[in-house]
Amino acid sequence: MCDERELFVNETPWDKLKEECGVVGVYAPEKRDIARSVYFGLHALQHRGQESAGIASNKNGKIQYYKEMGLVQEVFNDEIIERLQGDIAIGHVRYSTTGESYVVNAMPLVVYHKGGSLALAHNGNLVNAKEIRDELQDNGVIFQTSIDSEVIASLIAKYSREKTIEEAIVETTKMIRGAYALVITYGDKLIGVRDPNGIRPLCIGKLENGYVLSSESCAFSVMGAEFVRDVEAGEMVIIEDNQIKSIQYGGKVQKAACTFEYVYFSRPDSVVDGKNVYLARRNAGIILAREYPVEADMVIAVPDSGTVAAVGYAQESGIPFGEGLIKNRYVGRTFIQPDQRMRELSVKLKLNVLRENIKGKRIVMIDDSIVRGTTSGKIVKMLKEAGAKEVHIRVSSPPVMHSCYFGIDTPSRRHLVAANHSVEEISKMIGADSLGYLSVEGLIEAIGLPADQLCTACFNGVYPMDVSRTGNKYVFEKE
Ligand code: AMP
């Protein structure tokens, strides 16, 4: 069913690929048009990946799928959705951070093995996939894609020759290390798995006659589902016979949910691990105003990523919130263009200054994060050229100083401006009149989860697992 009309050169250096993704799964045997539910869910998760989209449907163990490069609405049409019939379906949106992107690397991955067909969608990154892949290849296993998710699929296929699917997944989790939120369909089951640290999110929703799994709860309302709960760290949920079974496979491992989900990645209307993302961002703005007050005439946001924190900053500081930048909603994320030249141009494509509103004013500009420093520098220049008297930047997260190996696109330390420069230097480089970042403690307080349950590695280098001896070339290259 997968209609791949392009020619592919399958030589992507697999260890250069990093994923930011969204996953969704629906179990609803009595529902017609199940793929359309997944399609709606993927729409709600589009912010998690804009490069490719795919849906796999499962009818009595027979899996059909379609995946293609592009946004959800570009990839699917009525005809394709109609053809994806089944009782269970899973979907995936993906954004890889290199220029080398091929539809073969899109998900869901569908593999055929002795026990039958299995479809898998993965959000996150493994830190030991290369090791495992090398070993499997030494034993004659062949790989069709360059993504680490195929290592997971391959291991499950290997173990399921002699074990049940649940046992095969548990065996697989003993081998893999890193971040994974998985949605799998096999036989008459929909299965969700969250890694032992719970780095990437995954939650469960209830339909009238069925269940939904999703990276984020923001997908539930459009899918007609009620939020039930998060999948726990180290938990596998198996949905079959319209019931949920749970296996806690992960043992005693410290939870380390990704802080950046609250800072940037998740949608504000999602609840991740019991905490609403909007409230976390607004609190971050409030605490930022306490930590870095400044005299100014107006608080503005970098839309949309800084908007909620700017509301909090304005509320706490008493400085009125106003519009200073207008966003073109039809241009994708800044990061969507993987090379630096396009990234620079895309700031102008995406944002324009509302000259009449900022002229002659002292501005506090709020953004959620500074990664490479490209975006803020460009915006400060645009604001000053439009007549802003002063531009003070306040960032509602701490300086990003370390690479993420778990699925967030924080690039090599070489490219992280805060890994190589002091706050004063960055302020000068981006032409701001002052610069203040939220503290790590402030961010944790804003989220409201215990510090020891959050991964703050990109800010302080404290990784929830060993990332130095992975045998993964990419890890060494990055640091
Ligand atoms: P930079 O120009 O690299 O400093 O980019 C910072 C901007 O990119 C901020 O406005 C963020 O909202 C946004 N951003 C931060 N992290 C990511 C990410 N992982 N993927 C896409 N955009 C991001």
Side-chain angles (χ1 to χ4, degrees):
M1 173 117 191
C2 186
D3 180 1
E4 294 167 6
R5 264 163 266 177
E6 300 166 41
L7 285 178
F8 302 115
V9 184
N10 192 7
E11 53 187 31
T12 312
W14 80 278
D15 50 355
K16 288 241 156 87
L17 281 164
K18 277 178 79 206
E19 318 290 329
E20 289 180 353
C21 307
V23 296
V24 64
V26 177
Y27 174 99
E30 286 171 26
K31 196 169 157 58
R32 230 195 69 78
D33 233 6
I34 193 167
R36 199 171 299 276
S37 278
V38 173
Y39 171 77
F40 288 145
L42 290 182
H43 256 293
L45 298 180
Q46 185 76 83
H47 59 287
R48 299 185 70 87
Q50 301 89 22
E51 200 177 75
S52 68
I55 298 178
S57 65
N58 175 352
K59 180 96 192 146
N60 301 324
K62 181 169 173 265
I63 293 178
Q64 291 185 296
Y65 67 105
Y66 187 86
K67 53 189 179 181
E68 188 53 272
M69 305 306 288
L71 298 172
V72 178
Q73 68 184 43
E74 294 164 349
V75 169
F76 293 100
N77 58 30
D78 268 349
E79 194 214 317
I80 297 168
I81 290 175
E82 289 285 326
R83 286 169 66 192
L84 289 165
Q85 290 298 319
D87 299 328
I88 306 168
I90 66 170
H92 190 267
V93 284
R94 170 168 181 268
Y95 164 61
S96 85
T97 60
T98 63
E100 298 145 316
S101 43
Y102 302 100
V103 73
V104 285
N105 288 330
M107 279 192 255
L109 270 179
V110 179
V111 294
Y112 308 91
H113 60 98
K114 221 174 154 195
S117 308
L118 173 144
L120 170 144
H122 171 208
N123 172 211
N125 257 98
L126 302 184
V127 295
N128 67 338
K130 172 126 174 66
E131 265 173 26
I132 301 173
R133 188 176 158 120
D134 285 349
E135 210 178 299
L136 289 169
Q137 280 179 327
D138 286 346
N139 286 305
V141 176
I142 54 166
F143 286 84
Q144 289 193 5
T145 78
S146 55
I147 49 177
D148 54 1
S149 319
E150 195 179 4
V151 169
I152 304 177
S154 187
L155 284 175
I156 296 174
K158 177 178 151 191
Y159 293 123
S160 60
R161 281 191 307 220
E162 281 151 22
K163 295 177 186 294
T164 64
I165 186 72
E166 290 91 335
E167 288 166 344
I169 293 172
V170 172
E171 284 308 308
T172 301
T173 63
K174 289 180 190 161
M175 301 292 293
I176 56 178
R177 285 196 301 117
Y180 47 93
L182 300 172
V183 173
I184 296 167
T185 182
Y186 175 85
D188 51 4
K189 296 172 195 191
L190 173 66
I191 299 174
V193 188
R194 198 169 171 197
D195 69 71
N197 298 103
I199 298 176
R200 302 261 74 85
L202 187 64
C203 54
I204 308 169
K206 176 91 186 79
L207 295 169
E208 208 179 301
N209 273 313
Y211 288 92
V212 173
L213 296 172
S214 172
S215 292
E216 286 183 48
S217 60
C218 67
F220 289 163
S221 77
V222 70
M223 299 173 82
E226 288 288 325
F227 178 82
V228 176
R229 66 173 176 89
D230 291 287
V231 176
E232 297 297 325
E235 184 187 16
M236 170 174 14
V237 291
I238 304 108
I239 302 165
E240 68 179 317
D241 297 331
N242 213 7
Q243 290 187 343
I244 298 194
K245 207 170 73 191
S246 160
I247 297 175
Q248 194 66 40
Y249 70 87
K252 287 233 167 306
V253 178
Q254 185 61 48
K255 180 148 184 201
C258 171
T259 329
F260 221 76
E261 289 281 348
Y262 298 95
V263 169
Y264 172 81
F265 210 47
S266 290
R267 238 170 68 164
D269 50 334
S270 286
V271 175
V272 180
D273 286 319
K275 297 294 173 187
N276 170 244
V277 175
Y278 177 89
L279 292 180
R281 285 185 194 161
R282 201 180 63 190
N283 288 341
I286 291 172
I287 298 168
L288 182 61
R290 288 184 202 140
E291 290 185 351
Y292 287 98
V294 62
E295 294 228 338
D297 305 310
M298 189 165 79
V299 177
I300 68 165
V302 177
D304 293 314
S305 56
T307 305
V308 183
V311 169
Y313 195 99
Q315 177 191 326
E316 181 66 13
S317 64
I319 304 168
F321 175 83
E323 308 270 353
L325 295 162
I326 300 300
K327 182 174 171 178
N328 182 338
R329 309 225 162 257
Y330 305 97
V331 181
R333 287 186 166 198
T334 315
F335 272 47
I336 211 165
Q337 300 292 352
D339 78 75
Q340 187 68 11
R341 194 183 62 81
M342 284 311 292
R343 209 174 281 122
E344 296 204 6
L345 180 67
S346 59
V347 175
K348 279 212 163 150
L349 273 173
K350 206 159 89 171
L351 296 172
N352 203 12
V353 177
L354 191 54
R355 189 178 288 265
E356 291 72 10
N357 211 21
I358 56 107
K359 201 161 173 224
K361 289 191 181 133
R362 295 169 303 168
I363 301 292
V364 194
M365 185 184 91
I366 315 287
D367 202 359
D368 69 293
S369 57
I370 294 181
V371 182
R372 296 172 177 85
T374 322
T375 312
S376 5
K378 298 269 164 216
I379 301 173
V380 173
K381 191 158 168 265
M382 281 157 60
L383 288 168
K384 291 245 165 142
E385 281 171 2
K389 207 154 94 192
E390 291 170 19
V391 180
H392 302 273
I393 298 191
R394 296 293 179 268
V395 185
S396 58
S397 66
V400 176
M401 296 173 65
H402 302 270
S403 303
C404 175
Y405 303 111
F406 309 122
I408 292 281
D409 171 29
T410 44
S412 136
R413 293 200 73 192
R414 216 159 5 118
H415 301 296
L416 292 173
V417 70
N420 302 293
H421 299 279
S422 68
V423 174
E424 294 72 47
E425 283 170 348
I426 301 169
S427 182
K428 271 212 187 89
M429 285 160 66
I430 60 182
D433 291 281
S434 74
L435 170 64
Y437 286 93
L438 185 64
S439 64
V440 176
E441 297 71 32
L443 177 59
I444 291 167
E445 187 190 333
I447 295 169
L449 286 171
D452 64 1
Q453 290 190 19
L454 290 166
C455 175
T456 45
C458 55
F459 306 123
N460 59 13
V462 181
Y463 292 94
M465 68 190 73
D466 182 11
V467 291
S468 63
R469 289 170 44 251
T470 61
N472 183 341
K473 185 165 134 259
Y474 186 42
V475 169
F476 295 121
E477 264 182 13
K478 288 177 68 181
E479 286 298 315

